[in-house]
Amino acid sequence: MGDAIVGIVANPLSGRDIRRLVTQASVFPTAEKANMIRRMLTALGAVGVDRVLLNTDLGGISASVLRAIGQRPAQAGAGPDGRWPEVEFLDGHPIRQTAQDTVDAVRRMVAAGARVIVCLGGDGTARVAASAVGEVPLLALSTGTNNVFPAVREATVAGLAAGLVATGQVPAEGTVSRAKLLEVRAGGRAETALVDVAVSTERHVGARAVWDPATVTQLFCTFAEPDAIGLSSVLGQLCPVTRHEPHGVTARIAPDAARQVLAPIAPGLVVPVGVGEIGRMDPGSEHRVEARAGVIAVDGERELTFEPGERPTVRLRADGPRCVDVPVVLAASARLGLLMRTRQ
Amino acid sequence: MTQTAEGKALSRERLLSAYRMMRTIREFEERVHAEFATGEIPGFVHLYAGEEASAAGVCINLDDRDTIASTHRGHGHCIARGVDVGEMMAEIYGRKTGSCHGKGGSMHIADLSKGMLGANGIVGGGPPLICGAALAAKIKGTGGVGVAFFGDGGSNQGTTLESMNLASVWNLPAIFVAENNGYAETTSSTWSVASDNIADRAAGFGMPGVIVDGFDFFAVHETASEAIARARAGGGPTLIEMKFTRYYGHFEGDQQTYRADEVAHARAELDCLKRFAGLVTQTGELTRADLDAVDADVAVLIDQAVEEAQAAPLPTAADLLTDVYVRY
């Protein structure tokens, strides 16, 4: 299992945007992100992962993990904390404090042979990590705001699942499933989304988050779950689509529409959203953005502005990232008795 | 409490006004940088170049009811609050025609008539003043807010932390703007700020804390306008952390041996004025000609300010005994 490498990328800036101010979105302190990684290292060590690659950051997460490693007693085998894998910090590259840092770190992890990549962040971080992960299985854990794609899950349990897949004890087949993806194209630029694409009448990317449904005119979703948070929850209540169904769903959004859905479009914000015509998105089919100009938000964050004549399009793709399904992995582990030990 | 989409939209006039503010600050600082090198300006100056979007994005949301308090690096806040540029330049030159009659200098420019409580020689000196101003606004029911600008160094001062506590306890209409330019004098904030993100401290005081790209006028404006609207409506204080880089040293003459050359990248790729110009011309909200006209106006304004300051008289010995609490 010498090649059982797991990459962990944590976004130091997730969970800090304007939604702390305009809604009551949660704050995920740096110290807790570092603690999650420590708990995950314990779990990864317990199932035999030898090496972990961790991104470096200027937000204090990697520094905190480095400190924790220094404070641990020498690798003493079984104990309350158990054996940790060797941790290699991916330093030596410039840190820009932008999403590019996540892309760079994930690429380096892929190149170094990581078998699973865990990302800590919100939907935005998962989206960026997914764009660079290629065929390596991704496990997205929530430390952000709108957490539809990444799961809110105990890091120890996620670490066990990541470790069982990375070491090959649980086969990827049936426990790692491919996600859908939305591809937006506007005037030569392209973006992807894992959950939703929203077209907004705002003129600028500005504070990025979308929390005012009156500005949204069109919505595209890879999946729409009735218990989601964020814009996809609107269609989750009207016409749910699961993550595993091949199609997606799109709708026109209009404040004065007869049909209104009371939806949790951001943490602490439950508002009526007017929904017009609803359509199915089949894989590969191209859908036009109807507005002449505005901003396109991917997974809840305004990302692209477009001008008259650019005529953006949105396409559902079936070739999204391969994602580790934590409950399925641990169910397989139970069937195979992988965590069973006999007392000597 | 969030504002409506209409309330957030920036009119052509507001966009021009924002650009004028930022361009005036930039030209003012670039000129002070050049003039300081001649040795004609007494004392120290700390330049705000690079940070313009913070002052402009916040202050464009303020009106006559509101008060701000500033820092060592205060020229940008003064200009964004409408302090007369000629009087500011004269003050920096130590002339009698200055905002404080030439007796304060760069670090003490104040204009109470503009709700500008002053640049401040004390690190962390502004936030307590703003609690007072915000308390006054609250008691009088004016709907006014107080905005305290402070740096990453100031964020570690007891005065700042006590002020955030008091503002929360009394639910004051106070906005705390942490301008994190990466260095407190020569000390990196990644080393000196224990929580790494200054905004993280807001949770401990029970107020919202937001991190904003301080190079992006639109992000700053949107965040500040929400925080200010919330404070005016009785929603209480907010902490906003701007992340950016200053273009010059801590003070003029600082050799900056403590930092790698991050300024060239910031000037080329992140600059708030370039970014603003790119965005508004792309959307067609303003044209390049609109912006060029502002640039030309501002160039004349700054030339005039320097010429007048250089020609203005110095204070006399007798002026030492005016504007003081105790007469000798």
Side-chain angles (χ1 to χ4, degrees), chain A residues 16 59 203-204 207 211 302, chain B residues 196 200 211 222 282-283 285:
Chain A
R16 298 290 189 286
R203 296 308 301 274
H204 296 282
W211 71 90
R302 280 172 270 160
Chain B
D196 290 294
D200 286 16
I211 294 177
E222 194 172 340
Q282 186 195 333
T283 58
E285 291 163 288

Side-chain angles (χ1 to χ4, degrees), chain B residues 84-296:
Chain B
D84 184 87
V85 167
E87 291 181 16
M88 283 179 62
M89 193 64 87
E91 187 60 36
I92 290 169
Y93 270 86
R95 305 299 163 131
K96 203 164 175 169
T97 52
S99 327
C100 304
H101 308 301
K103 293 192 283 187
S106 162
M107 265 188 282
H108 302 278
I109 300 176
D111 188 343
L112 301 190
S113 73
K114 304 283 190 203
M116 166 59 194
L117 296 185
N120 206 312
I122 308 294
V123 176
L129 303 180
I130 278 311
C131 283
L135 179 62
K138 181 174 175 166
I139 290 172
K140 289 178 171 174
T142 62
V145 301
V147 179
F149 291 95
F150 54 93
D152 39 294
S155 80
N156 291 333
Q157 294 294 90
T159 47
T160 302
L161 300 167
E162 289 167 41
S163 298
M164 286 198 268
N165 183 60
L166 192 70
S168 257
V169 169
W170 285 350
N171 197 41
L172 297 178
I175 314 295
F176 297 90
V177 179
E179 297 186 318
N180 185 352
N181 62 27
Y183 297 91
E185 294 198 5
T186 61
T187 306
S188 166
S189 63
T190 59
W191 184 85
S192 65
V193 178
S195 59
D196 290 294
N197 291 315
I198 297 167
D200 286 16
R201 294 179 178 169
F205 297 112
M207 68 173 83
V210 181
I211 294 177
V212 179
D213 176 352
F215 287 114
D216 182 353
F217 168 82
F218 292 100
V220 174
H221 172 266
E222 194 172 340
T223 306
S225 76
E226 292 288 350
I228 290 164
R230 179 175 179 273
R232 291 199 200 287
T238 298
L239 170 59
I240 303 171
E241 178 182 2
M242 311 289 177
K243 301 245 195 209
F244 47 24
T245 307
R246 52 169 149 81
Y247 286 177
Y248 291 108
H250 170 64
F251 51 79
E252 280 307 274
D254 175 3
Q255 293 302 307
Q256 305 184 66
T257 52
Y258 51 87
R259 66 172 175 175
D261 187 19
E262 58 210 31
V263 174
H265 169 69
R267 278 193 187 262
E269 304 291 331
L270 308 172
D271 185 73
C272 61
L273 280 153
K274 282 188 193 163
R275 216 149 128 184
F276 181 96
L279 288 169
V280 295
T281 51
Q282 186 195 333
T283 58
E285 291 163 288
L286 296 176
T287 64
R288 189 62 247 178
D290 293 329
L291 301 177
D292 290 344
V294 172
D295 292 354

Side-chain angles (χ1 to χ4, degrees), chain A residues 21 107 233 288:
Chain A
L21 171 61
R107 282 189 185 146
S233 70
R288 284 213 173 284

